[in-house]
């Protein structure tokens, strides 16, 4: 939080724009930008994509009134998907659902269930693991693994995939409204078996 505030102060002091890439984190941490929602720091420009239209080919660059008046109104731009009515309709419907269903609170709830469940499983098996990141974007790692050599992590994710749950081995996982509480509970049944396999192979 303090780092974000210092970056904003530095940009203001030097006359630079603070531009935030919210392509991945957008709408998971806040319905405004992730920085303004979490840290109270409002960027000058924010980039959105992916979740903004539930996977349809759509992106958006939004910003302050000052940025619009200073340059956006004077620049001509074109795009490949500007006339794609399906993507535009998907974007409007997605934004409506994000507001209606309190997405940030819902993702935080199921994310905490997943995080606490994984930590409990690790403790019961005597595995040295940690779950980091915001609840809506968790990531599990093993203390004995190295940054670019993750035999425990690779075995864990491979075993999860074999049992029907796809988990990324190398960066945060991204929860969505499709991940209901029941889906998370079913996932924890799979991770319990996968962590058991790690215990068998490595002992910790």
């Amino acid at each position: 939080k303090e780092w974000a505030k210092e970056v904003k102060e530095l940009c203001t002091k030097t006359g630079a724009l603070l531009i935030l890439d919210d392509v991945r984190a957008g709408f998971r941490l806040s319905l405004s930008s992730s920085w303004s929602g979490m840290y109270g720091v409002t960027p000058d420009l924010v980039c959105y994509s992916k979740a903004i239209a539930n996977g349809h080919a759509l992106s958006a660059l939004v910003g302050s009134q000052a940025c619009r008046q200073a340059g956006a109104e004077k620049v001509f731009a074109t795009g490949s998907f500007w006339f794609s009515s399906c993507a535009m309709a998907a974007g409007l419907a997605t934004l409506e659902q994000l507001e209606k269903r309190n997405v940030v609170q819902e993702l935080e709830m199921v994310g905490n269930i997943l995080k606490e469940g994984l930590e409990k499983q690790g403790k019961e098996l005597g595995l040295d693991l940690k779950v980091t990141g915001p609840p809506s974007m968790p990531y599990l790692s093993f203390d004995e693994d190295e940054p670019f050599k993750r035999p425990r992590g690779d075995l864990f994710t491979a075993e999860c995939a074999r049992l029907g749950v796809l988990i990324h081995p190398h960066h945060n996982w991204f929860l969505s409204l499709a991940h209901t509480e029941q889906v998370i509970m079913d996932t924890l049944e799979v991770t319990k078996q996968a962590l058991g396999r790690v215990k068998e192979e490595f002992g910790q």
Side-chain angles (χ1 to χ4, degrees):
K1 182 176 181 178
E2 293 307 315
W3 180 81
K5 289 183 177 179
E6 289 179 9
V7 170
K8 176 64 175 179
E9 289 172 2
L10 181 61
C11 288
T12 301
K13 181 179 179 180
T14 59
L17 293 177
L18 176 56
I19 305 173
L20 180 65
D21 178 351
D22 242 354
V23 169
R24 288 184 176 180
F27 311 115
R28 299 179 191 280
L29 305 175
S30 170
L31 290 186
S32 57
S33 77
S34 56
W35 275 29
S36 59
M38 291 187 69
Y39 308 132
V41 174
T42 302
D44 297 295
L45 294 171
V46 186
C47 309
Y48 292 104
S49 189
K50 296 190 177 182
I52 198 172
N54 200 31
H56 284 262
L58 185 68
S59 62
L61 177 64
V62 301
S64 65
Q65 182 78 352
C67 286
R68 182 179 71 82
Q69 294 174 339
E73 294 178 335
K74 303 173 184 178
V75 176
F76 175 79
T78 186
S80 300
F81 300 102
W82 276 22
F83 300 103
S84 175
S85 58
C86 290
M88 298 297 180
L92 291 173
T94 299
L95 292 173
E96 180 181 347
Q97 286 297 311
L98 292 176
E99 290 185 338
K100 183 178 179 180
R101 295 182 59 180
N102 296 316
V103 61
V104 175
Q105 292 82 359
E106 192 168 334
L107 294 185
E108 184 173 3
M109 186 221 18
V110 295
N112 279 322
I113 293 173
L114 179 60
K115 178 180 185 293
E116 292 167 8
L118 289 167
E119 290 173 339
K120 180 180 179 182
Q121 291 173 355
K123 185 176 182 179
E124 290 174 347
L125 290 166
L127 293 170
D128 296 324
L129 60 81
K130 57 179 173 289
V131 182
T132 57
S136 59
M137 298 187 296
Y139 178 65
L140 182 145
S141 60
F142 295 87
D143 293 349
E144 298 299 319
D145 278 359
E146 299 175 11
F148 298 102
K149 187 177 181 182
R150 309 179 179 94
R152 293 164 185 79
D154 289 344
L155 177 60
F156 170 70
T157 52
E159 192 67 11
C160 284
R162 187 183 71 80
L163 296 170
V165 173
L166 182 61
I167 293 178
H168 201 288
H170 302 308
H171 66 62
N172 295 68
W173 315 331
F174 299 96
L175 300 183
S176 74
L177 289 175
H179 297 112
T180 62
E181 187 172 349
Q182 185 58 56
V183 169
I184 297 299
M185 299 308 295
D186 293 342
T187 298
L188 287 170
E189 288 297 320
V190 168
T191 60
K192 183 177 181 179
Q193 297 179 62
L195 289 172
R197 180 72 183 87
V198 173
K199 177 69 174 181
E200 291 176 6
E201 183 70 19
F202 297 97
Q204 63 179 10

